[in-house]
Every structure is written in structure tokens, then in C-alpha cells.
Amino acid sequence: MLHLAELSRLSISEEEIEPLKKDLDSIVSYISQLNELNTDGVEPTYQCFDMQNVWREDEIQEFEAKREDLLALAPESEDNQIKVPKVL
Amino acid sequence: MKIADKNTKAVDLVKAALAKAEEYKDYNVFISMNAEAALAKAAEIDEKIAKGEKVGKLAGVPYALKDNYSSHDGNTTAAAHILDSYHSPITATAVAKIEAEGAIMIGRANLDAFAHGGSTENSYFGPTKNSADDTRVAGGSSGGSAVATALDIVEFALGSDTGGSIRQPASFNGVYGIKPTYGAVSRYGVVAMASSTDTMGCFAKKAEDVDLVMSIMAGQDAKDSTTLPDYWTKNLDEVKPAKKKIGLIRDCFGDGIDPEVAKIVREYGDKLKAQGFEIEEFDMPILKYGLAIYYVVQPAEVASNLSRYDGVRYALRSKDVKSLDDVFVNSRNEGFMKENKRRIMIGNFVLSSGFYDAYYLKAQKARTLLINAYNEAFEKYDALLCPVAPTPAFKLGEKTSDPLTMYLEDAMTVPASMAGLPALSVPAGETEAGLPVGAQLIGRAQSDQLLLSIAKQIEDSEAK
Amino acid sequence: MSEYKITVGIECHVQLNTKTKLFSAVDNDAVDKEPNSCVSPFDYALPGMLPVLNKEAVHKAVQAGLAMNCKIGLESRFDRKHYFYPDSPAGYQITQMYKPIIGAGVIHLQGFDDVRINHAHLEGDAGKLTHFDDYSLVDLNRAGTPLIEIVSEADIHSAAQARAYAEELHRLMIYAGVSNGDLYQGNMRFDVNTSVSKTDELGTRTEVKNLNSFRSVERAVEYEAARQIALLEKGEKVVQETRGWNDATGKTTGQRSKEGAADYRYMPEPDIPPVVLTQEYVDKVASEMPAMPDFYREKFEPLKLDNSEREAILNYPLLAGRLAEVCEENIKLAPRVAHWFSGVLLAEENLDKDFSLATAAELAELSEMVEKSELSSTAGKEVFIQLYNKKNTSKTPHALAKEMNLLQENDEGALEQIIDEVLAAPECQKAAEDVRNGEMKAIGFLVGQVMKKSKGKANPGAVNKLIQKKLS
């Protein structure tokens, strides 16, 4: 549980652990019924339709949001950069 | 749909919509109103009309926008605290297209935060109430949009449907709700939930209104590589079923289905029969696994898509920050709803090393089997008929304690989502208690207009 | 005591020089630009933003693959690699975990065994962090720059081979034209995995990340191998870890790592349909590939150049191309041009000269002038240098030599006159007498006097012959 929370960058308090574990256990046991299905030799589907080679030409485009618009969103900034607590 | 012209002022349409919104304030339909900008836009349209200039196909028509579509009007909150201060500098393609035709957004409609839920109770801004019974849920996640349409505040509303988020609230509120074919409408600018099944659709009270709005929203978009070439181009009356045969999915009428719901949907089948359709019952055993497939794939994509909400570049950054990790953990912890967190954790579980093959890969293989079963069915039928949800709208708070019970609400909507198929929730009737119930029509890919034309046939026959 | 065997595998990140980023149509060239000036809403990872693949990046990846003699993956697709870090705006990097565009291949090295390529994948680069005392700043200009990550097999067994491999990769990328190859700008970055063992079983490896010079690749392998051997000799164990490289001290240091291996939770990227290439397309790209280093090595074989001299020239595709053209004009004239390239042009401290200024025809002409003794070899070098001066672009080597007053005097009449004057001079009588008596050593003095009198323009060979004739 704590490892999952760590991977998810969430924190769980002591009293949250048990009920959350119960929820996740029941969901995991529900999805585990997929094991009843024989999927030998079946290709997975990652995208519904067989599209391929959707790409663009290598040309610079203008965007609706400019640099100033984006940087204005930053909770903290300095010298046109986004400011965060020191990265170790 | 009432469109502004020489006799109908856009400003009056918008004022009427705003007044209705005020009247139904207690239903908690909107997260934010857009009154000032809406009236200004309406005045512009009226001026154009007065000058004899050309106006769009939706000139002056007020609409409600699910609050997960980006636009410059108001904050795009996705009903989550982590985004409630986020003012988007970009416009979703669907919004840009609708508004280019003159539609006017009067307010941003409530939803389950990040569209995670089937009741609109998981909103940071509180639940939306059902239009027919205010002690019951609106359905979700596009609850605000469905109720705004049902209460006649607006004539149409935009929603998004990843596993039933348009169809189920449409059913609970007695309006049309369409989940188009995956890739019919651009996802650009809509807060992503599960990218491989996210679709953008709408609510309205008439099939032809749905068709009009969708014909405008749909189309290939260079900004979304999964959009399909334009196909939403026909006149509904010209769309004809090839076989005049509809398959009734027997598996969807068994245990766990409210008898009244089953009865109303079967009766809708009878109406189709009366219009010359052959109705045939058939089995699709794989459907039993549809929900399990969905609750592997969807949380995985959710966990991935919600990674960007990290408190670094925009919106909420926790005040309680001593280190970089605090920025991530505390912002996310404060900003996400409980259900968001649950899905993130399930998603990270099924993707984590050692479990990927057993869950994620397995589910994607099962998804192939599901798609194969649909393909087989469409060799025989023009469309499939089943309920939208197992029950009518349930009581507020009734299912919030157990997530799995809430997930079971999606059992009949998620299979079409996993296969990318178009599915339409049609208002089919009411229970004894006066709760609306929808029937679901599912078609092969890109047959969206066929579903609408079938529904319109029934609608027309009842109007006579 | 048997010897330790060093085993090294290298991962190399190469930034592709496309006009726009891998998934967003924003300027990919951030050199000398303000922070966050090459950033689109996608790069900033706003809600609802979607990647749109750059076709040219796919093309360049195929070229890079062909340059490394790799199989091209006809069907490739993208995956998300998840990790939280301020330089990764979406919380994941879009990469190719399961089906990379470049498959197995091999790199031939000069003087070392071949190194096989396992695969190479296409991915978006991360942003850049700058650290201050109590905060860090995030610049996303580089976020989304197309990269190919080239993963070698563990076929490298010495620091020198590691360096040769890195250098050859660099040559291949710049010859293929897929990268600017500017190491200072981080266009190519190396992660080296080193282990040592006395047996056939591989030892525990360490990874030194983000090396950005050939020298640091070589030194890091040297240092790590020595460090690991010293540990093992003391009876200690090598810890599998990522180590940082300090270029100033020439040492690696262990980096504090989180408990357990990172779990990136790879997931197929649902927003980008797969890339499916035809063999015809790959064949066409192959047929249009520019000449690679091996082509030139073969071409320069008859010139009998030193390995180091040839490889130095090969570091500059433009010079290799020029030299090849000179070979076409007259192969006899080419070795001298090669020596000029390596000994003069590349020996200079400041290499900001425009190598395109001297044409092959000019270089051949100049070489021929020296060949025919119209210029001394010293004068030839001086004219050569002037060919790379912008003001001289319209002048032929001959005109330049003339202008610089360096043309040699080969006219026998004129030479005889000078020689006669020298032989008549009183200070030369002793030497002339010695030569007459068969003491040929003395002739050098006389030739020197003639050269002095001609201000260096006389052809010493011709002078020597004429003096002998006169004194015999």
C-alpha cells in the first residue's frame, strides 16, 4: 500500500490505510476474474482502430498560448523559469 | 432548436437560459457561470443579424459545457481542487468548433472530479441533483450537463464519455446522450481521463439536435492523432439500416437488472419492431468481463494522465511545502478527491513491474476478444439494444461507501467504450415512481448517424 | 593471478537536429535562446494536450539506424515511462520500450573489435534544471527534443575502446546528418556501464551517467575499472549503483539512491498510433544516405595516412569530402592535402575557420604547385592557410602565391646568374674549392648562399644540380 502511494506520489494517513486497502482488495479481486478467460495467442488491443503513421511535417507553428501565458500559470517563477524547492 | 434570427434575439435566449439556471440553482448544475461573456457574445450575434451578416448554424444557442473542456471562459476545474484555480490559455477543438457556429456557453457544468464516477457526487463542488427527483443522483460523470439539458436550462450540453459518463446521466434524466465513435471528435483541450476510450459527445432532447451539434463537433483534427477522417456528413433521413435487424443483448437483462428498467428497454424494442425492425435476442458472454477489462485499462491510463498534476507548473501547489517531494505529494494529496486517488493507485498497481502482464496485458488481450465478439454481432445486426444502466437514478449517498458497487453501474456502458463503438442513450420511458430510464443503442464504428436515425424514427412515430 | 577483464556497455543519447520537437511543432533549436522560449502548451503539459509525431524525426531515426548498420523496425510504437521530476512535465517520458524503431546492428572500430548495437529507440528529451542554494529553476526548452538512445551490447573491454566507440558513434551521426553533434551543447551524452571480472561471469556493474566528452568516457571507464578492481582486491564488493562523474577531479562518486529499483510503469502510449514503415521506404532512405566514414577510409587507403591523421580528418565530414574530391582529381596530390588538413588546419588552436572555403580544385592546384617545385613546402603551407581566409575566396592559389611573393625561381638563366655571383664572391671561394675536390658536404653552404640571395624563391634542388655542374 505504502509503496503504491509512494509510486503515486500520494500520502496515506494511518487511519486511511485499512479502508483503502479494503477497497483496493475488492477491486483487485474483481478484476482478477479476467484470469478465467483464455487469451492464449490473442494480440492485445492498445488502440481501438488500426491507425498508423499519423504525423506532421517538420515546420514550426504558432500556438494559441504563448510563452508568457504559460509562465504566468506557474505557482512560482524567476527569470522566466519555474521555481521549485531545491532538487537533491 | 431555437436559433437566433431576426425575430429571436440571441440576448433573449441567453437571458432566458441564465434565468432558468438561477431558478434551478439548488440542483447545483454549474460550477461557474459565464453570464457576462455570454451576454456580450449574444449582443455581437444580434448585431450581425441586424446588419444582415452571416451567422453560424448554432447562432445564439446557449449551451452548458462540462467543466473538463478547456476554454478562455472561466476556469477549467475538472471539478477538482487541484485545478480549481486553473484558467486555460487554450481552447478545446470541440469548443472552438461549436462557438465558431455561434453557440454561447452560459456556464461550466458539474462533474465527478476528473470524470471519475457515475453520480457526480465525487465533485469538489458538491453533488448535482437529479432533474426528476432532487433526492437522487444526477448520474455521472457528466451529471451537470445532463441535468442542465433535462431542466431545459439549455437545449444542448457538451459532455465526455469514457465508460458511460454521457449515457448513464442521460438515462437518469430522460434526455438523449451520445457517446460517439472513438476518434469522431477531437480530444484536444479536454482534460484527459483514459485516453484510449475518452470521447466527446453531447446531450439534447431531440435526435436531430444531437445530430446537428455532433456534425459540427466531429471531424479530423491535426492536434489529435487519433481522430478519424470526417464522416459525420449525412442527413439523418438519408441514413438507412442495411438489414433492418437489431440484436437484443440477452446477457444484459439478467440478474442485477431492475425489472422496471428491463421492461422499459424491451418495450423500446417493441417500438422498433412496430417500425419494421426485426428484433433478435442473442448472447454475448464476453460482456461479463467488460467491466473487469475496463477497471484495469482505465485506471492505468488515469494514473498516467494524472501524473502531470504535480504542483510544479500550474494550478494548485500546496502551501505546506518544505521539499520538492512535498510539492508533489502534498499538492496531489490536497488536490485530488478520494476516488481520484483510488484510481491512481489501482492504475499504478496494474502497471507496476511484476503485475503488468497479469493485469494490464491480460486486460488488453481480453479487449481484443470483446472487439471480436462485437464484430461478429455486427455481421448479423445493424445495431444492438440493451439498457444503459442496471437501475434508474439511485439515492444521493446510496453508493458512495463502496466503490465497487458504484463501478457496477458502468457494466453495460463500458464494453462499447472499450471497443470504441458509438452508443446512444435514448429516453425510453419512466418507472412507476417517475424516474426516467434510457435504452442503449450500440452500433458499429462510425455508424453514429444510423443510431440517431433509428432513434429519430421512433421519436417521429411517437410525435404523430 | 589472472587478469581482470573489463566489460563495458554504453548508452548514448543523441539529439536529432530536426526543425521542431518530437511531438510539438515548436522550435527545436534553443541554443542562445531565453529559457522557456521554445515551449508549446504540450511541452508545458497543460491538461488535454496531445502529442503529434514529427515525421522528420522518424526519417532521421531511420537514417541513424542505417548509419549504424542496424535493422530498422518496420513497426514501432511509443510507450510512456513514468517518473515524477520537475524536468518531466507530464510525469512521463514518451519513449519506445517494447517496439523500438532501430533494431540490432554493429559498429566497426579502427584498431578495436566491433561493438554490436542492441537497439536504439526514439524518445523525447527532458527539460533542464538549474540548482541554486535553496531552490531550483526549470527550463523546458529542451523538453521534447527528439533523441535516439543507442544501447550497445557489453562488447567493450577497455577505456580506449570505449572512447573509440563514442567517437565513431559521433562520426556516424554527423555523417548521416541527423545530429549537430555538438558535445558542448549536450547533443550527445553517454552513460557507461562498467564491470570487472576474472572469470567469464560478468561482475556487478555500475553506471556513470551523463558524460559529455570522449575524454570523460575514457576516463570514467578507467577510473571505475580501477576502483572496482581495488575493491575486489581488498575483498570488498562492488555495489550496483549509479555514480556521478566529476570532470575536475576525474573521479566518480556514489549517488544517494532511493530504496529499490525505480519502477517506471511502462504503458503503451494511447495518443500516438504506431509507425509502420515499408521495406521500400527503408531501401529508399538507404539509397539516399550520404557517404559514411568507412567509405572514406577505403577511399583514403592508397594515401597511406597514419591512423590518427586519417581519423582526425574523418572527424570533419567536410574535410573528408574535400579530400575525397582531391583524390578524384589526382590521387598523387592528395597525401599532401591530407597533411595540410591534419598538420595545419586541425592543429590550429581556434577551429572556427570555415572549412568550406577552399575548394578541392584549389587544394589540388596548390598541391601540384608544391609537387612541381613552384612553391617550397613551407610556402605551400602559407598559401594553404590563406585559402581559408574569407578575403581570398576569389583568388587562385597561384595568384595568392604570386601576391605573397612566394613563387620559386626555376628559370635556369636567372638561377645561373645568381650562382655565378655567389661563386665569384670571396667568402665562397673556400667552399667552392672543397666541392671541386669532391668534398660534397660543402655544397650546402653554397646552396644556402644562393637561397639567401634569391630571398628563398630559388628551388634548392635545381640550385644544387647547377652548382655541381659548374664546379665539376
Side-chain angles (χ1 to χ4, degrees):
Chain A
M1 281 296 290
L2 292 173
H3 175 62
L4 272 186
E6 161 73 25
L7 276 180
S8 310
R9 288 299 184 279
L10 295 168
S11 65
I12 321 171
S13 64
E14 282 292 317
E15 40 307 354
E16 282 172 316
I17 292 185
E18 267 317 301
L20 190 58
K21 189 172 177 322
K22 205 182 118 241
D23 288 348
L24 297 197
D25 282 348
S26 77
I27 294 163
V28 169
S29 101
Y30 183 83
I31 58 182
S32 296
Q33 62 173 303
L34 286 175
N35 293 328
E36 299 165 10
L37 272 176
N38 181 358
T39 53
D40 293 349
V42 179
E43 284 295 313
T45 298
Y46 300 120
Q47 289 170 314
C48 291
F49 305 122
D50 287 330
M51 300 175 87
Q52 58 191 44
N53 301 347
V54 184
W55 46 33
R56 64 180 166 81
E57 296 304 319
D58 188 20
E59 300 294 342
I60 295 172
Q61 288 165 19
E62 285 298 311
F63 290 90
E64 189 183 357
K66 306 282 177 255
R67 174 198 193 205
E68 304 74 54
D69 302 325
L70 296 172
L71 286 170
L73 297 169
E76 270 192 273
S77 62
E78 188 177 299
D79 294 339
N80 292 314
Q81 301 193 61
I82 304 147
K83 196 171 172 180
V84 292
K86 187 169 169 78
V87 177
L88 294 172
Chain B
M1 213 177 303
K2 218 180 260 173
I3 295 170
D5 56 21
K6 283 228 177 316
N7 306 314
T8 315
K9 284 194 168 232
V11 167
D12 293 336
L13 292 176
V14 168
K15 277 184 180 162
L18 289 169
K20 277 252 170 102
E22 183 61 29
E23 182 187 342
Y24 293 118
K25 217 172 170 180
D26 291 345
Y27 285 80
N28 198 27
V29 172
F30 293 100
I31 289 174
S32 64
M33 298 309 295
N34 189 42
E36 204 176 314
L39 286 167
K41 279 181 194 173
E44 251 173 63
I45 286 173
D46 287 336
E47 206 178 302
K48 275 192 176 174
I49 292 172
K51 283 192 205 155
E53 287 173 29
K54 197 174 172 290
V55 288
K57 291 181 211 163
L58 297 171
V61 180
Y63 77 99
L65 182 65
K66 188 176 183 181
D67 203 12
N68 57 352
Y69 282 77
S70 302
S71 85
H72 296 279
D73 291 319
N75 287 356
T76 302
T77 72
H81 181 37
I82 203 163
L83 275 181
D84 62 0
S85 64
Y86 174 65
H87 189 95
S88 176
I90 64 105
T91 311
T93 299
V95 172
K97 285 178 138 183
I98 290 286
E99 302 212 343
E101 292 294 340
I104 298 173
M105 193 265 280
I106 61 149
R108 291 179 158 274
N110 200 10
L111 64 149
D112 290 295
F114 287 105
H116 300 175
S119 69
T120 314
E121 291 171 290
N122 294 328
S123 166
Y124 181 65
F125 302 93
T128 296
K129 294 169 183 170
N130 188 279
S131 59
D133 177 349
D134 63 10
T135 66
R136 291 178 184 269
V137 301
S141 67
S142 313
S145 298
V147 174
T149 311
L151 292 175
D152 290 321
I153 298 172
V154 288
E155 286 198 86
F156 77 94
L158 302 197
S160 62
D161 188 317
T162 303
S165 279
I166 288 176
R167 288 162 283 165
Q168 187 251 29
S171 171
F172 282 11
N173 291 282
V175 295
Y176 282 103
I178 190 163
K179 172 214 122 47
T181 303
Y182 180 80
V185 179
S186 172
R187 293 179 288 124
Y188 177 83
V190 184
V191 178
M193 180 181 159
S195 309
S196 78
T197 68
D198 280 350
T199 59
M200 310 307 137
C202 74
F203 299 88
K205 282 196 161 167
K206 290 165 89 179
E208 60 182 16
D209 289 348
V210 172
D211 185 59
L212 173 62
V213 173
M214 292 306 294
S215 70
I216 294 165
M217 273 167 80
Q220 197 155 33
D221 181 9
K223 293 172 182 165
D224 177 354
S225 301
T226 61
T227 47
L228 299 166
D230 299 2
Y231 68 84
W232 210 300
T233 51
K234 294 172 217 71
N235 188 317
L236 273 197
D237 294 325
E238 293 166 6
V239 185
K240 296 276 179 267
K243 305 181 177 74
K244 280 222 125 187
K245 201 166 170 186
I246 286 173
L248 187 139
I249 312 174
R250 195 183 289 128
D251 314 67
C252 296
F253 292 83
D255 288 349
I257 304 299
D258 182 289
E260 278 192 287
V261 169
K263 181 167 162 278
I264 291 167
V265 176
R266 283 188 186 279
E267 281 167 4
Y268 192 79
D270 294 339
K271 291 177 195 168
L272 289 167
K273 221 182 265 176
Q275 292 303 310
F277 284 94
E278 187 184 335
I279 305 287
E280 188 174 283
E281 296 202 9
F282 77 109
D283 295 316
M284 240 181 112
I286 185 87
L287 284 183
K288 181 182 155 200
Y289 299 99
L291 194 66
I293 297 171
Y294 179 74
Y295 271 94
V296 172
V297 176
Q298 173 259 112
E301 295 185 9
V302 160
S304 176
N305 285 330
L306 296 191
S307 302
R308 67 187 55 206
Y309 306 106
D310 59 4
V312 172
R313 296 165 314 285
Y314 50 83
L316 181 72
R317 179 184 291 185
S318 170
K319 297 274 175 283
D320 175 22
V321 161
K322 287 182 205 73
S323 67
L324 176 67
D325 219 44
D326 288 346
V327 171
F328 295 147
V329 175
N330 296 351
S331 305
R332 290 166 65 80
N333 224 40
E334 291 166 24
F336 287 130
M337 304 290 285
K338 203 171 176 182
E339 178 61 19
N340 304 141
K341 296 180 194 175
R342 258 195 300 257
R343 295 194 190 199
I344 290 170
M345 289 181 66
I346 297 168
N348 280 326
F349 168 71
V350 298
L351 289 176
S352 61
S353 80
F355 296 99
Y356 179 88
D357 286 2
Y359 291 97
Y360 187 81
L361 192 61
K362 179 83 184 177
Q364 298 288 38
K365 286 179 177 175
R367 185 181 192 174
T368 305
L369 298 178
L370 176 69
I371 291 171
N372 293 346
Y374 274 119
N375 288 340
E376 212 176 291
F378 288 122
E379 278 172 20
K380 283 160 104 179
Y381 311 115
D382 297 311
L384 312 179
L385 176 66
C386 65
V388 177
T391 63
F394 43 90
K395 290 276 188 188
L396 283 159
E398 186 184 325
K399 298 190 178 186
T400 43
S401 57
D402 179 11
L404 193 57
T405 325
M406 189 72 95
Y407 296 173
L408 290 170
E409 273 295 306
D410 302 338
M412 286 179 289
T413 45
V414 297
S417 294
M418 293 313 302
L421 304 175
L424 179 68
S425 180
V426 185
E430 283 178 6
T431 62
E432 296 273 317
L435 298 175
V437 170
Q440 183 173 209
L441 286 170
I442 300 168
R444 61 169 66 83
Q446 305 189 34
S447 75
D448 315 54
Q449 283 193 295
L450 175 64
L451 303 182
L452 285 166
S453 84
I454 294 170
K456 183 170 183 285
Q457 239 181 296
I458 305 299
E459 193 184 302
D460 290 347
S461 72
E462 290 186 327
K464 275 170 198 163
Chain C
M1 192 181 84
S2 63
E3 285 294 307
Y4 284 95
K5 185 174 184 183
I6 301 171
T7 302
V8 178
I10 294 182
E11 286 154 30
C12 173
H13 291 89
V14 182
Q15 289 185 330
L16 301 182
N17 55 359
T18 49
K19 267 193 249 149
T20 64
K21 291 187 179 180
L22 184 52
F23 300 116
S24 63
V26 74
D27 197 346
N28 185 40
D29 178 12
V31 176
D32 296 333
K33 294 207 175 84
E34 291 240 323
N36 291 307
S37 56
C38 302
V39 175
S40 75
F42 171 81
D43 307 308
Y44 206 82
L46 289 188
M49 294 300 98
L50 302 168
V52 184
L53 181 61
N54 182 348
K55 187 179 178 183
E56 184 61 16
V58 172
H59 180 236
K60 288 199 185 256
V62 171
Q63 289 179 308
L66 292 170
M68 298 185 289
N69 311 299
C70 289
K71 269 188 80 160
I72 301 302
L74 293 183
E75 187 181 341
S76 56
R77 57 180 169 76
F78 291 93
D79 303 286
R80 295 180 180 180
K81 175 185 181 179
H82 299 89
Y83 63 96
F84 286 92
Y85 210 61
D87 67 2
S88 168
Y92 54 82
Q93 177 191 31
I94 304 179
T95 179
Q96 298 182 312
M97 170 67 182
Y98 298 105
K99 283 193 171 179
I101 188 160
I102 301 172
V106 65
I107 306 284
H108 306 295
L109 302 181
Q110 300 302 304
F112 295 98
D113 287 345
D114 291 350
V115 175
R116 289 167 301 153
I117 301 295
N118 179 285
H119 76 277
H121 52 261
L122 190 54
E123 62 187 19
D125 207 345
K128 199 179 93 188
L129 299 175
T130 316
H131 306 296
F132 297 89
D133 280 349
D134 56 353
Y135 64 95
S136 301
L137 295 179
V138 187
D139 173 13
L140 299 175
N141 276 351
R142 211 183 64 183
T145 284
L147 288 182
I148 50 168
E149 181 178 339
I150 304 163
V151 181
S152 85
E153 297 289 359
D155 285 350
I156 299 166
H157 299 290
S158 71
Q161 190 190 7
R163 179 182 182 139
Y165 169 75
E167 287 182 340
E168 186 64 3
L169 271 192
H170 179 257
R171 281 186 207 105
L172 293 173
M173 294 304 116
I174 57 176
Y175 276 75
V178 302
S179 177
N180 294 336
D182 185 338
L183 272 67
Y184 180 75
Q185 296 289 348
N187 288 167
M188 284 179 81
R189 311 189 295 267
F190 303 89
D191 301 341
V192 300
N193 291 279
T194 309
S195 67
V196 299
S197 175
K198 279 189 178 178
T199 63
D200 285 343
E201 201 179 319
L202 288 181
T204 306
R205 68 192 161 88
T206 60
E207 183 173 34
V208 183
K209 275 190 182 284
N210 261 320
L211 299 167
N212 60 4
S213 73
F214 304 134
R215 204 172 121 77
S216 62
V217 167
E218 185 173 19
R219 289 169 76 205
V221 171
E222 246 164 38
Y223 181 86
E224 263 310 294
R227 188 186 68 85
Q228 292 178 13
I229 290 171
L231 276 178
L232 296 175
E233 286 298 301
K234 275 192 282 179
E236 292 174 30
K237 275 190 176 146
V238 175
V239 181
Q240 182 168 347
E241 62 180 347
T242 298
R243 298 179 66 85
W245 171 249
N246 185 326
D247 212 45
T249 61
K251 290 179 179 171
T252 66
T253 42
Q255 290 178 334
R256 202 168 56 96
S257 60
K258 293 221 162 168
E259 287 299 307
D263 185 345
Y264 293 122
R265 291 151 288 140
Y266 286 97
M267 180 186 97
E269 168 57 85
D271 291 330
I272 309 170
V275 173
V276 181
L277 306 174
T278 61
Q279 191 56 48
E280 290 74 52
Y281 167 80
V282 175
D283 292 345
K284 184 163 179 288
V285 177
S287 73
E288 292 164 356
M289 284 289 281
M292 288 287 116
D294 276 346
F295 166 85
Y296 291 112
R297 288 191 181 105
E298 200 172 312
K299 185 113 192 159
F300 301 156
E301 191 61 48
L303 311 189
K304 306 280 177 233
L305 305 175
D306 278 358
N307 247 1
S308 63
E309 181 175 30
R310 184 191 61 221
E311 295 302 302
I313 293 169
L314 281 171
N315 283 340
Y316 300 90
L318 208 127
L319 294 186
R322 283 285 189 276
L323 186 57
E325 287 174 76
V326 173
C327 289
E328 291 295 318
E329 295 227 355
N330 184 347
I331 198 150
K332 283 197 189 118
L333 301 174
R336 187 176 292 107
V337 173
H339 301 329
W340 283 334
F341 282 165
S342 64
V344 182
L345 199 56
L346 299 179
E348 291 223 353
E349 282 295 304
N350 298 320
L351 279 182
D352 56 354
K353 285 208 164 68
D354 181 351
F355 289 171
S356 70
L357 284 175
T359 65
E362 288 167 344
L363 292 165
E365 183 188 332
L366 182 59
S367 178
E368 189 165 27
M369 286 171 74
V370 177
E371 184 75 25
K372 287 187 175 165
S373 300
E374 291 167 27
L375 278 178
S376 69
S377 62
T378 319
K381 276 182 197 169
E382 281 177 49
V383 176
F384 173 79
I385 290 167
Q386 286 309 310
L387 284 177
Y388 290 91
N389 186 331
K390 266 203 180 65
K391 348 182 265 237
N392 297 329
T393 42
S394 60
K395 293 171 191 160
T396 64
H398 192 271
L400 263 175
K402 199 166 173 187
E403 183 184 296
M404 293 163 75
N405 211 11
L406 291 172
L407 284 175
Q408 292 205 119
E409 198 53 81
N410 290 318
D411 177 46
E412 290 203 4
L415 281 181
E416 269 184 80
Q417 203 183 329
I418 301 173
I419 290 168
D420 288 346
E421 285 173 34
V422 166
L423 292 181
E427 69 269 25
C428 296
Q429 292 313 308
K430 168 91 172 67
E433 193 53 37
D434 286 350
V435 174
R436 278 196 196 92
N437 293 334
E439 283 187 48
M440 296 312 287
K441 273 195 291 184
I443 202 164
F445 173 76
L446 297 173
V447 172
Q449 291 300 304
V450 174
M451 294 306 290
K452 205 163 153 191
K453 212 161 175 103
S454 73
K455 298 195 174 86
K457 285 153 70 184
N459 178 342
V463 171
N464 194 312
K465 273 188 200 148
L466 276 173
I467 292 177
Q468 284 192 44
K469 205 168 106 189
K470 279 183 186 289
L471 296 180
S472 63

